[in-house]
Amino acid sequence: MTVLQSIIDGVREDLEGRRLTVDEREIIELASAATPALDAFASLGGREAGEDRDQSVHIISEVKRKSPSKGALAEIPEPAALASMYEAGGASVISVLTEERRFGGSLADLDAVRAAVSVPVLRKDFMVEPYQFFEARAHGADLVLLIVAALDDAKLAEFLALTHQLGMNALVETHTPEEIQRAAAVGAKIIGVNTRNLKTLDVDITTFGALKDLIPSDRVIVAESGVQELADVQLYGSQGADAILVGEALVKSGDPAATVRAYREAATAARAGK
């Protein structure tokens, strides 16, 4: 069994427990009553046909306590305070891990962050059931993660359509040329290349540069994982990333706001060839 499949099995078990507390009908009603989602596509530099593209490199800053590959990263007793520092540093989107077993996240973290910031919020989880999408919207998410490796084509198309129906955007995560082709074929507007292979947890930071040009140029292109230092965001910027998702390096930073600001400025300069 791959690491990815093991995580998904745990996600399904935990989901069944939440369904006993809030059933399908109630979660749909809560999603309908939620404040409309913010436009994460625009916040990450996306533009409709004919509009000039934003040339800045945007930072998706992550609230992340631990990971299967690195173990404990940071305590984060107040996710809202951390998210506020990210926003002060210029983060365009705040990503919140809500998977509990391997990442130590929760929907309570999502609630706290949503209440504290005015930028779009990404629910970072392993989305495998329609219930989770209504749940994400009910808790104020503007953006959800769709992992191509975890979904067949029918589910990928169904979940992307449901995401848009609920007014949210999706970060559609890929790792191979075939996954990029599948993401583009279903009309994903925001496509990420994860330099971490979720089936093995190995990281190869060269993956983004090798695959980036396979993504249609009218999509928002996100580089995910592998950032340890300034040089890594400069590399992604120079390779044409529209946005960079950063977790570990930020939660370990002594000054998250300053680090976000430095990453955004350095990546944008690298993209411009300065």
Side-chain angles (χ1 to χ4, degrees):
M1 180 184 294
T2 66
V3 175
L4 177 59
Q5 188 57 55
S6 175
I7 293 172
I8 289 172
D9 288 346
V11 165
R12 289 185 185 279
E13 288 180 18
D14 293 341
L15 174 57
E16 290 310 309
R18 296 198 302 278
R19 273 189 169 130
L20 295 176
T21 303
V22 182
D23 65 22
E24 203 97 12
R25 172 188 266 180
E26 184 177 357
I27 202 66
I28 290 172
E29 290 176 350
L30 290 169
S32 297
T35 301
L38 300 175
D39 188 350
F41 177 69
S43 292
L44 293 173
R47 296 291 184 269
E48 300 304 327
E51 296 181 336
D52 291 337
R53 290 296 296 268
D54 181 353
Q55 295 304 306
S56 298
V57 178
H58 299 268
I59 303 298
I60 304 174
S61 302
E62 196 152 80
V63 177
K64 183 177 185 180
R65 290 188 175 85
K66 63 181 184 178
S67 74
S69 60
K70 296 291 185 68
L73 300 174
E75 291 292 330
I76 314 182
E78 297 183 20
L82 177 60
S84 295
M85 287 188 277
Y86 287 160
E87 184 177 27
S92 297
V93 169
I94 310 296
S95 171
V96 183
L97 267 299
T98 60
E99 195 279 336
E100 297 183 32
R101 299 188 183 201
R102 303 295 186 98
F103 293 89
S106 69
L107 288 166
D109 287 349
L110 182 61
D111 291 337
V113 170
R114 173 69 288 160
V117 302
S118 59
V119 296
V121 175
L122 162 65
R123 180 191 182 179
K124 185 94 174 288
D125 211 319
F126 298 78
M127 309 294 279
V128 291
E129 294 286 344
Y131 181 99
Q132 294 170 287
F133 294 81
F134 292 101
E135 190 177 51
R137 190 75 281 279
H139 286 269
D142 309 290
L143 184 65
V144 294
L145 179 71
L146 295 180
I147 301 173
V148 175
L151 303 167
D152 61 26
D153 285 344
K155 282 295 183 187
L156 182 60
E158 175 193 342
F159 288 167
L160 184 61
L162 178 57
T163 299
H164 291 161
Q165 176 188 322
L166 290 169
M168 298 184 291
N169 280 286
L171 168 55
V172 181
E173 180 175 291
T174 66
H175 184 263
T176 67
E178 184 263 346
E179 289 175 4
I180 290 174
Q181 184 178 37
R182 292 175 58 205
V186 297
K189 296 165 63 178
I190 306 171
I191 299 178
V193 174
N194 195 346
T195 63
R196 184 184 305 280
N197 183 333
L198 290 181
K199 295 181 179 180
T200 65
L201 299 185
D202 294 333
V203 174
D204 181 355
I205 198 170
T206 66
T207 301
F208 179 77
L211 299 181
K212 179 262 173 185
D213 287 341
L214 300 177
I215 301 174
S217 60
D218 61 341
R219 318 300 166 94
V220 168
I221 302 173
V222 183
E224 302 177 53
S225 301
V227 173
Q228 298 294 326
E229 56 188 9
L230 197 67
D232 299 323
V233 296
Q234 290 173 315
L235 175 64
Y236 287 149
S238 70
Q239 293 171 334
D242 296 309
I244 303 170
L245 189 151
V246 189
E248 179 184 348
L250 291 179
V251 299
K252 289 183 172 182
S253 168
D255 189 340
T259 304
V260 170
R261 189 175 299 111
Y263 282 1
R264 179 167 182 161
E265 291 173 356
T268 298
R271 179 172 176 164
K274 296 179 180 178

